[in-house]
Amino acid sequence: MGPVLDAIKESLQHIKLIYEPTLPSFNKDTKQTSDSRETTVQDFISSFFPPTWAVKNGLIYSINSSSREIDCVLLAPNHPPLKTPKREIILAEGVFAAIEIKPDISVLTPDSEFHRGLMQIKSVKELDRE
């Protein structure tokens, strides 16, 4: 188990580096900062699953509704590619895990990032799945 735990530790060191405070010149560039953080977590998750598993982001669709935008969705190997020229479709039945990535969860008010993340995950839990 030593190499596996050490691999996790090395990966977490990389994530820690990515999550350091944003330099002042880039404080207004929240889109690229959040994208890089999401990609880092997606890469971390995918590095511990076989290549038959996929990590995506986006809406998750059920037969009659969809979730809010989800940062990191782990798809089981049986999930079909479902690509159109405009988008990739994520079906609720093929979702193994849904992860929201928030930079600061220390504030617990109803309009905080923490609360918003909970609502995004709740939208996944509310989807009808067979």
Side-chain angles (χ1 to χ4, degrees):
M1 252 341 226
V4 173
L5 292 176
D6 287 345
I8 292 170
K9 288 176 186 176
E10 277 187 354
S11 294
L12 290 175
Q13 289 171 343
H14 178 70
I15 289 174
K16 183 179 177 184
L17 176 67
I18 297 297
Y19 273 81
E20 286 183 348
T22 304
L23 297 173
S25 298
F26 305 118
N27 279 340
K28 292 183 180 180
D29 189 6
T30 57
K31 172 77 172 123
Q32 288 193 71
T33 299
S34 66
D35 286 352
S36 70
R37 290 175 175 174
E38 290 170 15
T39 300
T40 301
V41 173
Q42 290 170 356
D43 291 347
F44 172 74
I45 297 296
S46 66
S47 72
F48 289 94
F49 282 85
T52 54
W53 292 74
V55 179
K56 306 284 183 186
N57 66 334
L59 301 177
I60 300 170
Y61 293 91
S62 70
I63 192 75
N64 55 7
S65 63
S66 64
S67 70
R68 294 182 183 183
E69 182 90 16
I70 303 299
D71 295 334
C72 185
V73 182
L74 179 62
L75 301 178
N78 66 342
H79 192 285
L82 285 179
K83 293 181 183 179
T84 77
K86 293 183 180 182
R87 69 191 87 247
E88 293 184 52
I89 309 298
I90 301 171
L91 299 176
E93 286 79 10
V95 173
F96 186 76
I99 303 165
E100 262 310 293
I101 301 158
K102 299 296 175 205
D104 181 9
I105 58 170
S106 62
V107 179
L108 303 177
T109 61
D111 59 342
S112 67
E113 284 289 310
F114 179 76
H115 189 265
R116 193 167 67 85
L118 288 177
M119 294 300 101
Q120 286 169 278
I121 294 300
K122 182 181 176 189
S123 76
V124 175
K125 295 292 286 178
E126 291 172 341
L127 294 173
D128 293 328
R129 292 170 41 145
E130 290 187 20

